[in-house]
Amino acid sequence: MAVRPGLWPAILGIVLAAWLRGSGAQQSATVASPAPGASPDLLPHFLVEPEDVYIVKNKPVLLVCKAVPATQIFFKCNGEWVRQVDHVTERSTDGSSGLPTMEVRINVSRQQVEKVFGLEEYWCQCVAWSSSGTTKSQKAYIRIAYLRKNFEQEPLAKEVSLEQGIVLPCRPPEGIPPAEVEWLRNEDLVDPSLDPNVYITREHSLVVRQARLADTANYTCVAKNIVARRRSASAAVVVYVNGGWSTWTEWSVCSASCGRGWQKRSRSCTNPAPLNGGAFCEGQNVQKTACATLCPVDGSWSSWSKWSACGLDCTHWRSRECSDPAPRNGGEECRGADLDTRNCTSDLCLHTASGPEDVALYIGLVAVAVCLILLLLVLILIYCRKKEGLDSDVADSSILTSGFQPVSIKPNKADNPHLLTIQPDLSTTTTTYQGSLCPRQDGSSPKFQLSNGHLLSPLGGGRHTLHHSSPTSEAEEFVSRLSTQNYFRTLPRGTSNMAYGTFNFLGGRLMIPNTGISLLIPPDAIPRGKIYEIYLTLHKPEDVRLPLAGCQTLLSPIVSCGPPGVLLTRPVILAMDHCGEPRPDSWSLYLKKQSCEGSWEDVLHLGEESPCHLYYCQLEAGACYVFTEQLGRFALVGEALSVAATKRLKLLLFAPVACTSLEYSIRVYCLHDTHDALKEVVQLEKQLGGQLIQEPRVLHFKDSYHNLRLSIHDVPSSLWKSKLLVSYQEIPFYHIWNGTQQYLHCTFTLERVNPSTSDLACKVWVWQVEGDGQSFSINCNITKDTRFAELLALESEGGVPALVGPSAFKIPFLIRQKIITSLDPPCSRGADWRTLAQKLHLDSHLSFFASKPSPTAMILNLWEARHFPNGNLGQLAAAVAGLGQPDAGLFTVSEAEC
């Protein structure tokens, strides 16, 4: 039924009165208020009620109410009625019941909500009327949605070990409605339902129960609601693996097939291998232990027994046993018969004894043999006296009283015109040694021939010529002559690493400048009447194949002196540098010599020398002095007994003298601490145009199988840029330890930011892993700093490569003879050569000196080899004068007088 317009105020008054009566019992749920006498079934029933809603940004929200039966529906928000004009009403009839149905909508704006924001929450409620009464809907809360930008807590980067738990906390930004949280792994959604190893807590933290390598990733916490979506900063999680040792390998075969040797076993850091920055395995990857292999002993015959009595068959016998020693450990049995049977009566069993005429015949034959022997002895005696006359000593005996004075040349006495002077004229006599330079296996003896005439071509036609004259002036001619021989096919073709000269019984010295290599030929080492042309050569390791076994390493240069096979009556002394730190508990040192067939042999085990041995060695901190009576090719080799075995490395820093481009290269050389290695690098850098920019230093490199590392630091980034892509460079352990590779170095290239930059300040570190290290502080001007350029020149020894005769020795020849004559005979008061050896700190070699015909000569020869050319002759004179000899005053002279 239609309502007249004039009745609306009355109706609203009735409604408001009813509302006021029921306002004290408002609920969030629907509330019905029946009229008195009305049927409850006809009260309004809400089909649609307003629900909570969020305002996003500035968009208004829509609230809807629908009730049946309903004659009127109005919204009330925060206790105030919404104006009728703000309502949108639709009326209809319910098809099943025929009752009136009403649907009402209103819009709520952000401004309406913000008016009460902060005082209380904004809410709205529907009130529906019918003829039976009123019904209230539930309250709908309208809130302004937002999401702040900053997370209250973000996940942080972590490094965890394998199988360790990971917790990444995340507290999302404040927001309405509250933000939902999800996690991303490398931008892929983490779904705990698909991965049981991962779950997300109520506090939104991501938990990984046991870290796996696959969990290494960047993790991001994402918070989102209806307003926005926020991402946290990514947290890098690295799952690292600490290295673990594999099982030890089996022990290697003993390095020595006979006797004492070494064996080793190894393990690798691969169980597991370190990954993602995990720690490397601690401890050694190689173990060494001593081993001993039983040497096979070949059997040898004992001495023959005495002959048995002559038997009836006119024979007697003797026997021997294979017991001196008996074969053992797989050695060979004795060869030959163990029983020897012979006729014991020379057929007298078949004939009667000879008569007196046979006895006379035997006596006559014996007498003839004796006469022939006597005649041969007389001829030998006559020949020796004639030869002795040619080699008669010279000089007056009065010169012995002149102290340490230079030998003066005096004319021969008129009554003996055949005597030689100190410097004889030997230009017309040539002694030719015909045959192989090395002893042949067939045992053929060399043939000597004397002739007069011009000099023969040295080493020509398979013969070795011994000149009584000065050597050729052309070094290339000498080298070309040597190169024609098979044995010398590996000699250098240049002359910078070679010295040669012609020597007689007065001796002399050969030196290769700036290498520390020399050969001392003492007086009387060459037989009188002989002249030898002798050479001394330094070889590059790559030119000579030196086989090294097991833990062996080359410690010295490879040096040749020759020709081999010449006759020497006294040991010569070969001096050469080495780079080992000789300690008996860490090194086993060997002197190797190459045979004529080309194979290398251990001719001397240092520390186990025999006085009567052909070779002997005086080992010092940086050099060794080898006594030898056989010339040839030598090298000092060391075998490491433990990881404490150490080699000295010389570290040198070179850079260009002139830098014309933006790039500036620093070359760091790591070479053996020997003069010859230094010389090679200096010559190479001169060709490259380099100069030394820091004082050389020594690094002790251990046999620990660890590499050598080199790095550059503190480079000013505003002036220079390093072109090194890694944090350090490495030189492998074996490249250094085998000792056969030259010019080992690393290059650091820097680039100038500005072409005008000339000042450079940085640090270069060189170190062995778990070993010694050195640090170089570079602070220089690359265009004009040459303060270190003279350091290498100061180490140069220079000198003449060949010195012949008395000029090769610090001690004058005749004073030397006087010292030898005075100190060789034993003295009851101890004032003999033994005391001199003690004063010169050579008393550890007394047994070797005592085995020689002249112990004093050996001591003086070693002093000459060690102290030439800068030896203090005054100290030697003082040591000799302090021996207490009655005529010791003859030796007390000043060095200036010498």
Side-chain angles (χ1 to χ4, degrees):
M1 182 177 69
V3 179
R4 289 181 298 175
L7 295 178
W8 274 111
I11 294 173
L12 290 176
I14 295 172
V15 172
L16 291 174
W19 170 258
L20 292 174
R21 287 194 300 268
S23 61
Q26 291 180 359
Q27 304 278 334
S28 61
T30 303
V31 177
S33 299
S39 172
D41 296 336
L42 297 179
L43 288 175
H45 172 67
F46 283 99
L47 299 178
V48 177
E49 294 185 84
E51 296 180 349
D52 294 345
V53 68
Y54 296 95
I55 296 178
V56 178
K57 298 183 180 179
N58 293 321
K59 296 179 180 180
V61 295
L62 179 67
L63 299 180
V64 180
C65 279
K66 186 176 183 181
V68 61
T71 58
Q72 292 294 334
I73 299 176
F74 287 96
F75 274 95
K76 189 176 185 179
C77 294
N78 274 45
E80 297 182 1
W81 290 102
V82 179
R83 293 183 307 169
Q84 182 179 1
V85 295
D86 295 330
H87 291 71
V88 177
T89 304
E90 291 184 6
R91 298 178 183 273
S92 62
T93 302
D94 186 27
S96 59
S97 63
L99 296 175
T101 303
M102 183 177 241
E103 180 177 332
V104 179
R105 302 184 185 89
I106 64 171
N107 286 320
V108 180
S109 66
R110 184 185 183 99
Q111 290 78 8
Q112 291 176 270
V113 177
E114 286 179 343
K115 287 181 181 179
V116 297
F117 185 75
L119 300 177
E120 58 179 330
E121 289 188 298
Y122 192 91
W123 56 268
C124 290
Q125 188 178 37
C126 288
V127 180
W129 283 269
S130 71
S131 59
S132 300
T134 61
T135 304
K136 299 177 182 177
S137 70
Q138 66 181 3
K139 288 183 178 180
Y141 290 91
I142 298 92
R143 301 179 178 90
I144 298 176
Y146 68 92
L147 183 63
R148 300 192 184 280
K149 292 184 178 181
N150 297 326
F151 280 74
E152 295 183 5
Q153 184 178 9
E154 292 186 296
L156 300 177
K158 288 190 175 183
E159 293 184 358
V160 297
S161 63
L162 192 67
E163 298 184 352
Q164 181 181 346
I166 305 174
V167 178
L168 296 176
C170 177
R171 293 172 59 190
E174 178 186 353
I176 293 178
E180 297 178 359
V181 173
E182 62 185 17
W183 284 87
L184 301 180
R185 178 196 289 136
N186 288 342
E187 303 303 322
D188 294 330
L189 182 65
V190 177
D191 189 353
S193 63
L194 300 178
D195 188 355
N197 193 43
V198 178
Y199 68 92
I200 300 175
T201 65
R202 292 182 179 179
E203 294 78 18
H204 309 298
S205 297
L206 179 66
V207 178
V208 180
R209 292 183 173 88
Q210 288 186 330
R212 303 156 297 189
L213 289 177
D215 294 324
T216 298
N218 292 321
Y219 289 83
T220 307
C221 180
V222 179
K224 62 181 180 178
N225 63 6
I226 60 176
V227 178
R229 186 173 187 265
R230 311 290 188 199
R231 291 169 58 99
S232 70
S234 295
V237 174
V238 177
V239 181
Y240 62 85
V241 180
N242 292 325
W245 289 115
S246 64
T247 57
W248 288 103
T249 62
E250 297 294 331
W251 287 103
S252 64
V253 179
C254 194
S255 61
S257 58
C258 172
R260 181 177 177 273
W262 298 94
Q263 57 184 167
K264 64 181 180 180
R265 63 177 183 174
S266 61
R267 57 181 179 176
S268 59
C269 190
T270 56
N271 188 31
L275 191 64
N276 295 337
F280 196 80
C281 304
E282 295 182 359
Q284 298 295 330
N285 62 338
V286 175
Q287 282 186 346
K288 296 181 182 179
T289 184
C291 58
T293 305
L294 295 176
C295 298
V297 179
D298 296 336
S300 181
W301 292 112
S302 63
S303 301
W304 288 101
S305 64
K306 294 182 179 181
W307 289 101
S308 65
C310 194
L312 296 177
D313 57 350
C314 295
T315 61
H316 58 175
W317 55 269
R318 60 178 180 175
S319 64
R320 57 181 179 176
E321 297 180 351
C322 188
S323 60
D324 189 24
R328 60 179 182 271
N329 303 329
E332 294 184 357
E333 294 286 343
C334 301
R335 296 182 180 180
D338 59 350
L339 187 66
D340 184 18
T341 303
R342 292 185 182 178
N343 193 313
C344 58
T345 57
S346 300
D347 299 328
L348 291 183
C349 287
L350 303 178
H351 306 281
T352 58
S354 300
E357 61 279 5
D358 293 333
V359 176
L361 177 61
Y362 295 147
I363 293 175
L365 292 175
V366 171
V368 171
V370 170
C371 292
L372 292 176
I373 292 174
L374 291 176
L375 180 59
L376 181 61
L377 292 175
V378 171
L379 293 176
I380 292 175
L381 182 60
I382 293 173
Y383 172 77
C384 292
R385 287 186 176 180
K386 288 183 178 181
K387 178 176 175 57
E388 185 178 359
L390 293 176
D391 291 339
S392 299
D393 205 349
V394 301
D396 298 331
S397 61
S398 61
I399 197 171
L400 296 177
T401 61
S402 61
F404 277 20
Q405 297 293 335
V407 179
S408 58
I409 310 303
K410 295 192 175 184
N412 298 323
K413 296 182 179 180
D415 57 350
N416 192 356
H418 300 290
L419 287 179
L420 293 176
T421 63
I422 292 298
Q423 297 179 346
D425 181 10
L426 303 173
S427 61
T428 59
T429 304
T430 300
T431 302
T432 302
Y433 168 60
Q434 181 176 354
S436 173
L437 289 172
C438 296
R440 296 185 180 274
Q441 299 298 326
D442 55 9
S444 61
S445 60
K447 178 180 178 181
F448 289 89
Q449 176 181 352
L450 296 176
S451 63
N452 294 327
H454 297 288
L455 295 178
L456 299 178
S457 175
L459 302 175
R463 298 188 300 172
H464 170 214
T465 304
L466 308 174
H467 295 284
H468 289 234
S469 66
S470 60
T472 176
S473 60
E474 295 294 335
E476 291 77 5
E477 181 184 350
F478 178 77
V479 174
S480 64
R481 292 198 305 271
L482 292 180
S483 63
T484 59
Q485 304 301 314
N486 291 334
Y487 182 77
F488 305 108
R489 62 183 180 273
T490 58
L491 285 178
R493 294 300 182 261
T495 58
S496 62
N497 289 332
M498 170 179 277
Y500 60 92
T502 305
F503 302 92
N504 62 3
F505 74 96
L506 292 176
R509 186 188 305 266
L510 289 175
M511 295 178 294
I512 302 178
N514 304 322
T515 62
I517 299 172
S518 65
L519 179 68
L520 179 72
I521 306 168
D524 292 324
I526 298 176
R528 292 175 179 262
K530 300 292 189 299
I531 298 293
Y532 291 168
E533 190 174 39
I534 296 179
Y535 65 85
L536 180 66
T537 303
L538 168 64
H539 298 275
K540 293 183 179 180
E542 61 267 24
D543 295 337
V544 178
R545 184 178 180 275
L546 175 61
L548 299 175
C551 304
Q552 290 184 341
T553 177
L554 182 64
L555 297 179
S556 75
I558 302 176
V559 180
S560 290
C561 54
V566 298
L567 176 64
L568 297 174
T569 58
R570 298 283 189 276
V572 297
I573 301 178
L574 175 64
M576 54 186 176
D577 290 349
H578 70 84
C579 63
E581 287 291 328
R583 294 197 308 177
D585 58 336
S586 57
W587 282 109
S588 183
L589 301 177
Y590 298 89
L591 180 68
K592 284 184 174 287
K593 181 176 182 290
Q594 190 176 26
S595 66
C596 296
E597 292 76 18
S599 61
W600 287 85
E601 303 171 349
D602 295 336
V603 296
L604 181 62
H605 185 184
L606 274 66
E608 299 182 6
E609 301 95 335
S610 172
C612 58
H613 203 277
L614 291 176
Y615 307 93
Y616 199 83
C617 183
Q618 156 74 4
L619 186 68
E620 298 184 357
C624 61
Y625 301 91
V626 179
F627 291 80
T628 175
E629 296 183 22
Q630 294 183 357
L631 303 183
R633 185 170 295 164
F634 297 93
L636 183 67
V637 170
E639 182 176 0
L641 302 182
S642 68
V643 294
T646 302
K647 296 174 68 172
R648 296 187 317 276
L649 299 184
K650 179 84 78 173
L651 306 178
L652 299 102
L653 273 62
F654 282 89
V657 175
C659 184
T660 57
S661 65
L662 292 179
E663 291 187 351
Y664 185 75
S665 298
I666 299 175
R667 293 180 290 275
V668 184
Y669 287 88
C670 307
L671 49 115
H672 284 174
D673 186 17
T674 57
H675 285 85
D676 64 288
L678 180 63
K679 174 184 177 182
E680 294 291 335
V681 170
V682 171
Q683 291 178 345
L684 175 64
E685 279 296 326
K686 284 182 179 180
Q687 298 174 2
L688 297 176
Q691 67 172 349
L692 189 70
I693 62 172
Q694 275 290 308
E695 185 175 352
R697 296 188 182 178
V698 173
L699 181 140
H700 294 84
F701 192 78
K702 291 185 177 180
D703 181 21
S704 61
Y705 294 90
H706 288 301
N707 298 338
L708 189 70
R709 292 182 177 178
L710 304 92
S711 61
I712 189 167
H713 303 273
D714 300 342
V715 179
S717 57
S718 60
L719 301 176
W720 297 86
K721 181 174 66 175
S722 175
K723 304 188 75 173
L724 186 66
L725 300 180
V726 293
S727 58
Y728 57 84
Q729 300 187 62
E730 272 192 336
I731 299 179
F733 169 82
Y734 289 102
H735 288 187
I736 298 175
W737 194 254
N738 62 18
T740 59
Q741 298 199 26
Q742 286 189 312
Y743 314 133
L744 285 175
H745 72 284
C746 287
T747 300
F748 296 98
T749 302
L750 305 178
E751 184 176 357
R752 287 185 282 186
V753 176
N754 191 319
S756 62
T757 300
S758 59
D759 292 327
L760 174 62
C762 62
K763 291 183 179 180
V764 175
W765 292 353
V766 184
W767 77 100
Q768 185 184 18
V769 180
E770 298 184 9
D772 190 19
Q774 290 288 359
S775 174
F776 294 87
S777 295
I778 301 174
N779 192 349
C780 64
N781 186 303
I782 65 174
T783 60
K784 58 184 179 181
D785 197 341
T786 59
R787 52 183 164 167
F788 298 103
E790 300 299 326
L791 288 178
L792 297 181
L794 294 177
E795 296 184 6
S796 175
E797 63 188 47
V800 180
L803 296 173
V804 180
S807 62
F809 304 96
K810 293 282 290 184
I811 307 173
F813 179 77
L814 296 179
I815 298 304
R816 167 191 169 91
Q817 296 301 111
K818 182 65 174 179
I819 297 175
I820 293 172
T821 304
S822 301
L823 299 184
D824 270 352
C827 180
S828 58
R829 295 180 294 105
D832 55 13
W833 62 271
R834 294 176 178 83
T835 308
L836 178 61
Q838 293 175 358
K839 287 180 174 290
L840 299 179
H841 307 291
L842 300 175
D843 45 324
S844 60
H845 308 304
L846 292 180
S847 58
F848 170 70
F849 297 146
S851 66
K852 303 303 177 183
S854 175
T856 309
M858 293 296 103
I859 296 173
L860 298 181
N861 294 343
L862 182 56
W863 187 92
E864 289 276 8
R866 295 170 65 194
H867 296 91
F868 189 86
N870 301 317
N872 191 331
L873 197 57
Q875 292 182 356
L876 177 63
V880 175
L883 296 180
Q885 286 276 358
D887 53 352
L890 293 175
F891 313 128
T892 308
V893 295
S894 67
E895 186 171 0
E897 295 174 356
C898 299

